[in-house]
Amino acid sequence: QVHLVESGGGLVQPGGSLKLSCAASGRTFSSAAMGWFRQAPGKGRDFVAAISWSGGTIYYEDSVKARFTISRDNGKNTGYLQMNNLKPEDTAVYYCAATRYGASRDYQRYEDWGQGTQVTVSS
């Protein structure tokens, strides 16, 4: 089991940037793949990005390619999502998650979830 806590969300104008962090506790994070998902009001939980434990495998949802960058620092037990050129449609609660089963676009493959951090993109 991995306890995850997201931070770094907030209110930004379109075109702005935010960097989200996902701090993990315990000793299992380094061997776990990590994913980022988001949920807008009244909608389901959608895939954003995922990264394998080593960083060798990375997936992005099409709408965030070339704008978002997922990374991790296993020495700090922390994952990151750098978000650039933010758009209003990026507004959502962002969740990080961890799994032993490898990086995946499917939220059902993830075992541990953070509480989420709100990202609002508005002028």
Side-chain angles (χ1 to χ4, degrees):
Q1 183 177 325
V2 180
H3 183 236
L4 305 171
V5 178
E6 302 93 338
S7 62
L11 174 64
V12 297
Q13 296 186 18
S17 297
L18 285 173
K19 187 173 184 177
L20 306 183
S21 296
C22 177
S25 63
R27 299 181 181 180
T28 61
F29 180 73
S30 293
S31 61
M34 184 189 71
W36 287 94
F37 295 79
R38 62 188 180 186
Q39 187 166 17
K43 299 187 179 297
R45 187 176 301 173
D46 294 328
F47 171 75
V48 177
I51 186 169
S52 63
W53 74 269
S54 66
T57 300
I58 294 176
Y59 302 126
Y60 292 105
E61 192 272 327
D62 287 344
S63 70
V64 308
K65 277 188 173 180
R67 298 192 298 121
F68 291 10
T69 301
I70 187 171
S71 62
R72 65 190 298 163
D73 186 336
N74 290 339
K76 296 181 178 179
N77 287 337
T78 302
Y80 305 96
L81 184 68
Q82 176 68 51
M83 305 185 295
N84 299 322
N85 192 23
L86 284 161
K87 303 176 180 180
E89 51 262 44
D90 296 317
T91 296
V93 177
Y94 283 69
Y95 300 89
C96 66
T99 179
R100 296 170 291 170
Y101 304 127
S104 174
R105 298 175 176 89
D106 185 1
Y107 77 92
Q108 296 181 111
R109 304 300 301 273
Y110 290 84
E111 301 171 286
D112 303 300
W113 292 84
Q115 292 292 107
T117 186
Q118 177 71 49
V119 172
T120 302
V121 185
S122 177
S123 59

Short mmCIF file of all heavy atoms in Angstrom, two decimals, residues 5-8 19-23 36 78-81 96 117:
data_model
loop_
_atom_site.label_atom_id
_atom_site.label_comp_id
_atom_site.label_asym_id
_atom_site.label_seq_id
_atom_site.Cartn_x
_atom_site.Cartn_y
_atom_site.Cartn_z
N VAL A 5 -0.27 11.87 -1.79
CA VAL A 5 -0.83 13.19 -1.53
C VAL A 5 -0.44 14.12 -2.67
O VAL A 5 0.75 14.35 -2.90
CB VAL A 5 -0.35 13.77 -0.19
CG1 VAL A 5 -0.93 15.17 0.01
CG2 VAL A 5 -0.75 12.86 0.96
N GLU A 6 -1.43 14.65 -3.37
CA GLU A 6 -1.19 15.60 -4.45
C GLU A 6 -1.10 17.02 -3.92
O GLU A 6 -1.75 17.36 -2.93
CB GLU A 6 -2.31 15.54 -5.50
CG GLU A 6 -2.52 14.18 -6.14
CD GLU A 6 -3.59 13.38 -5.43
OE1 GLU A 6 -3.87 13.65 -4.24
OE2 GLU A 6 -4.16 12.47 -6.07
N SER A 7 -0.34 17.84 -4.62
CA SER A 7 -0.26 19.26 -4.31
C SER A 7 0.12 20.02 -5.57
O SER A 7 0.53 19.43 -6.56
CB SER A 7 0.74 19.54 -3.19
OG SER A 7 2.05 19.16 -3.58
N GLY A 8 -0.03 21.33 -5.53
CA GLY A 8 0.39 22.17 -6.64
C GLY A 8 -0.73 22.72 -7.49
O GLY A 8 -0.47 23.51 -8.40
N LYS A 19 2.78 23.00 -11.91
CA LYS A 19 3.46 21.73 -11.71
C LYS A 19 2.86 21.04 -10.50
O LYS A 19 2.92 21.54 -9.38
CB LYS A 19 4.96 21.93 -11.49
CG LYS A 19 5.74 20.62 -11.45
CD LYS A 19 7.24 20.85 -11.39
CE LYS A 19 8.01 19.54 -11.46
NZ LYS A 19 9.48 19.77 -11.47
N LEU A 20 2.26 19.89 -10.74
CA LEU A 20 1.68 19.10 -9.68
C LEU A 20 2.70 18.12 -9.12
O LEU A 20 3.53 17.60 -9.86
CB LEU A 20 0.47 18.32 -10.19
CG LEU A 20 -0.64 19.12 -10.88
CD1 LEU A 20 -1.79 18.20 -11.24
CD2 LEU A 20 -1.10 20.27 -10.00
N SER A 21 2.61 17.90 -7.83
CA SER A 21 3.46 16.93 -7.17
C SER A 21 2.61 15.84 -6.53
O SER A 21 1.47 16.09 -6.12
CB SER A 21 4.33 17.59 -6.09
OG SER A 21 5.22 18.52 -6.65
N CYS A 22 3.16 14.67 -6.45
CA CYS A 22 2.51 13.52 -5.83
C CYS A 22 3.50 12.89 -4.87
O CYS A 22 4.42 12.18 -5.29
CB CYS A 22 2.06 12.52 -6.89
SG CYS A 22 1.30 11.02 -6.24
N ALA A 23 3.34 13.19 -3.59
CA ALA A 23 4.25 12.69 -2.57
C ALA A 23 3.75 11.35 -2.05
O ALA A 23 2.59 11.22 -1.67
CB ALA A 23 4.37 13.69 -1.44
N TRP A 36 -1.52 9.73 -13.65
CA TRP A 36 -2.29 10.92 -13.34
C TRP A 36 -3.62 10.84 -14.07
O TRP A 36 -3.68 10.51 -15.27
CB TRP A 36 -1.56 12.20 -13.77
CG TRP A 36 -0.40 12.56 -12.91
CD1 TRP A 36 0.90 12.25 -13.10
CD2 TRP A 36 -0.44 13.34 -11.70
NE1 TRP A 36 1.68 12.78 -12.11
CE2 TRP A 36 0.88 13.45 -11.23
CE3 TRP A 36 -1.47 13.95 -10.98
CZ2 TRP A 36 1.20 14.14 -10.06
CZ3 TRP A 36 -1.14 14.63 -9.82
CH2 TRP A 36 0.17 14.72 -9.38
N THR A 78 8.51 10.86 -5.04
CA THR A 78 7.61 11.89 -5.55
C THR A 78 7.46 11.78 -7.06
O THR A 78 8.43 11.58 -7.78
CB THR A 78 8.12 13.29 -5.19
OG1 THR A 78 8.25 13.39 -3.76
CG2 THR A 78 7.16 14.36 -5.66
N GLY A 79 6.23 11.93 -7.52
CA GLY A 79 5.93 12.02 -8.93
C GLY A 79 5.49 13.43 -9.27
O GLY A 79 5.06 14.19 -8.39
N TYR A 80 5.59 13.78 -10.55
CA TYR A 80 5.29 15.15 -10.98
C TYR A 80 4.49 15.14 -12.27
O TYR A 80 4.59 14.23 -13.10
CB TYR A 80 6.57 15.94 -11.21
CG TYR A 80 7.51 15.98 -10.04
CD1 TYR A 80 8.56 15.08 -9.94
CD2 TYR A 80 7.33 16.90 -9.02
CE1 TYR A 80 9.43 15.11 -8.86
CE2 TYR A 80 8.19 16.93 -7.93
CZ TYR A 80 9.23 16.04 -7.85
OH TYR A 80 10.08 16.07 -6.77
N LEU A 81 3.72 16.19 -12.44
CA LEU A 81 3.06 16.46 -13.71
C LEU A 81 3.23 17.94 -14.01
O LEU A 81 2.59 18.79 -13.38
CB LEU A 81 1.57 16.09 -13.66
CG LEU A 81 0.83 16.25 -14.98
CD1 LEU A 81 1.31 15.22 -16.00
CD2 LEU A 81 -0.67 16.13 -14.78
N CYS A 96 -3.31 11.51 -8.51
CA CYS A 96 -2.23 10.60 -8.83
C CYS A 96 -2.57 9.23 -8.27
O CYS A 96 -3.35 9.09 -7.33
CB CYS A 96 -0.88 11.09 -8.33
SG CYS A 96 -0.70 11.18 -6.53
N THR A 117 -6.11 17.20 -6.27
CA THR A 117 -5.84 18.63 -6.16
C THR A 117 -6.56 19.35 -7.30
O THR A 117 -6.55 18.90 -8.44
CB THR A 117 -4.33 18.91 -6.18
OG1 THR A 117 -4.09 20.30 -5.94
CG2 THR A 117 -3.68 18.50 -7.50
#
